[in-house]
Amino acid sequence: MPSEERIVITGATGFLGTQLVRVLLDRHPDAHLSLLVRDKKGRSGHDRVAAMVPESALDRVEALPADVSLPRCGLSEQDYGRLVSGATRVIHSAATVRFDQPLEEARRINVDGTRNILAFAAEARRAGRLRSLAYVGTAYVAGDRAGLVRETELSAGQGFRNTYERTKFEAETLVRTQLESIPGVILRPSIIVGDSRTGVTSSFKTLYWPLKIYARRLWRTVPGFPDAVVDVVPVDFVAEAVARLTFEERAYGRTVHLCAGPRGSATIQEIAERAAAFFNVPAPRYVNPDVFFAVLRPLLFAFLWGPKRRVLRNGRSYRAYFSMRMSFDTAVADELLGPLGVRAPHVMEYLDKLFVYCQETDWGRTPASTH
């Protein structure tokens, strides 16, 4: 790879972004990374990046204070011009992933942020150096569809269960309009969990929250169907796939599901049975979700207090995911990643490693002793 590679990355301090930065630094030892990072209260973007990048690679990484939802991505005029003239790759993974974000706020981050990155990429392309754009979306732009969702599909008349799905759909629609003029690839991961080799994670959301309340015997009733499909992928697979496909010309102009797919997914029952055995808890009880949310939840909410009431309140965001009748086709992913030796492992191959890490860290509350 030419030594003049400069990769501009958004979302670099997030769960996936942190792993992606490390993969890129290792795989491309001559590349320089420009990370667009927001300052947080009490901690600058520079400090956040310095804490996650190996000391030996710090001279190849710069942290630039930025906010992609703002015009010119919130960069200074000088930094923006310098990046436009020097960027060879752009990887956009910054997003709000909250299910309950107000729609306008989610649009500001997910849609306006993507629009601003596309404007930057278009300028960089006109400057003559940009070689590719990788946009990290989500497989759940499929919304409330059922059946097999193909990578070539986007709009199929689906509804959306939350503002995250809706705004990521809107953002992907924007990206698709630009792929004729900008060499780029749309990447759609499903639910990202910890490292398949170590179980390590910095995010205990999505799958982890229902597992935690079940493992701690706070809640045993599942408002869903035991045969509902759960598509999860480990962060190491997604980071490796993003890093590879950003440089893979065969991927440009295409959409790729970074998912376990029908052959690598598991059902809620399969995951629950493994969790019951590992954490030594009783098997869950399954209740029709329509009955639960229409009848049982209002009654329980009126009489329960403390931790169980909080479970009822927080669990509403997960309602649709316990009764999902949807799977993600991975034909394009297999075509592109198969020859590179990159594949999503079956969730049951590494599930126990996730459980071990959760147990060792008390679900993220304490440092792990062996990682």
Side-chain angles (χ1 to χ4, degrees):
M1 184 190 67
S3 60
E4 69 271 16
E5 286 281 4
R6 179 166 294 277
I7 309 170
V8 177
I9 306 174
T10 72
T13 56
F15 176 41
L16 170 62
T18 300
Q19 186 99 343
L20 174 61
V21 165
R22 292 170 182 161
V23 171
L24 289 168
L25 289 171
D26 182 58
R27 182 165 289 284
H28 303 290
D30 295 322
H32 286 75
L33 310 187
S34 296
L35 313 184
L36 308 191
V37 185
R38 287 187 305 164
D39 291 340
K40 284 194 171 182
K41 189 176 181 179
R43 197 175 190 199
S44 70
H46 182 273
D47 290 341
R48 294 165 68 199
V49 169
M52 64 181 243
V53 174
E55 188 174 351
S56 60
L58 281 173
D59 61 337
R60 295 195 286 128
V61 179
E62 65 171 341
L64 298 172
D67 183 339
V68 297
S69 68
L70 298 176
R72 213 169 51 198
C73 299
L75 291 162
S76 70
E77 186 174 348
Q78 180 181 5
D79 284 337
Y80 190 83
R82 178 172 59 85
L83 289 185
V84 161
S85 63
T88 59
R89 317 274 175 184
V90 175
I91 302 175
H92 179 42
S93 67
T96 176
V97 297
R98 281 179 51 186
F99 293 162
D100 59 350
Q101 191 91 0
L103 181 58
E104 289 311 307
E105 178 67 9
R107 279 189 172 134
R108 184 183 69 82
I109 299 169
N110 292 347
V111 183
D112 292 346
T114 299
R115 182 179 289 110
N116 292 332
I117 286 295
L118 288 171
F120 169 84
E123 288 191 58
R125 182 66 174 170
R126 288 193 294 270
R129 288 178 57 82
L130 188 74
R131 298 167 187 158
S132 67
L133 163 74
Y135 167 72
V136 181
T138 175
Y140 293 98
V141 293
D144 60 6
R145 290 183 58 182
L148 186 66
V149 177
R150 301 189 185 280
E151 290 148 300
T152 53
E153 301 169 333
L154 177 59
S155 182
Q158 68 266 42
F160 301 101
R161 292 166 287 216
N162 49 60
T163 59
Y164 170 67
E165 292 181 352
R166 178 179 295 278
T167 56
K168 291 297 279 184
F169 171 89
E170 294 171 1
E172 183 176 320
T173 301
L174 280 179
V175 176
R176 285 187 168 218
T177 66
Q178 301 298 311
L179 290 189
E180 288 187 5
S181 57
I182 301 172
V185 57
I186 295 170
L187 305 169
R188 293 181 185 163
S190 56
I191 299 170
I192 304 177
V193 294
D195 193 290
S196 65
R197 301 157 298 189
T198 63
V200 171
T201 183
S202 62
S203 176
F204 288 85
K205 300 174 183 178
T206 59
L207 180 70
Y208 290 92
W209 183 83
L211 279 172
K212 178 173 70 174
I213 62 171
Y214 177 51
R216 288 179 167 175
R217 298 175 181 250
L218 282 173
W219 202 263
R220 184 181 169 191
T221 300
V222 178
F225 304 113
D227 61 345
V229 175
V230 180
D231 191 306
V232 299
V233 280
V235 67
D236 51 305
F237 159 72
V238 179
E240 183 70 22
V242 173
R244 293 290 195 101
L245 294 176
T246 298
F247 288 80
E248 183 57 60
E249 292 186 8
R250 295 181 305 135
Y252 301 162
R254 307 180 78 177
T255 300
V256 186
H257 277 157
L258 303 183
C259 304
R263 71 169 180 269
S265 301
T267 64
I268 286 179
Q269 184 171 23
E270 288 172 324
I271 292 176
E273 287 177 353
R274 183 70 66 87
F278 184 92
F279 295 107
N280 192 28
V281 293
R285 298 177 292 243
Y286 298 94
V287 177
N288 184 295
D290 293 332
V291 173
F292 181 85
F293 284 98
V295 179
L296 296 179
R297 184 183 182 278
L299 290 173
L300 292 169
F301 202 79
F303 291 102
L304 293 177
W305 296 93
K308 290 187 180 294
R309 187 181 178 92
R310 287 195 294 272
V311 167
L312 280 172
R313 183 176 61 246
N314 297 336
R316 291 186 66 181
S317 299
Y318 297 87
R319 172 179 180 173
Y321 298 94
F322 289 131
S323 55
M324 195 169 291
R325 301 296 191 185
M326 177 171 59
S327 60
F328 303 110
D329 183 44
T330 59
V332 177
D334 295 342
E335 174 196 336
L336 296 173
L337 292 171
L340 302 176
V342 179
R343 73 168 187 93
H346 195 290
V347 61
M348 303 306 285
E349 293 178 18
Y350 60 89
L351 192 59
D352 283 359
K353 292 177 182 176
L354 305 184
F355 293 163
V356 168
Y357 189 76
C358 291
Q359 193 172 63
E360 285 186 354
T361 63
D362 191 18
W363 303 89
R365 297 179 65 182
T366 61
S369 59
T370 58
H371 297 283

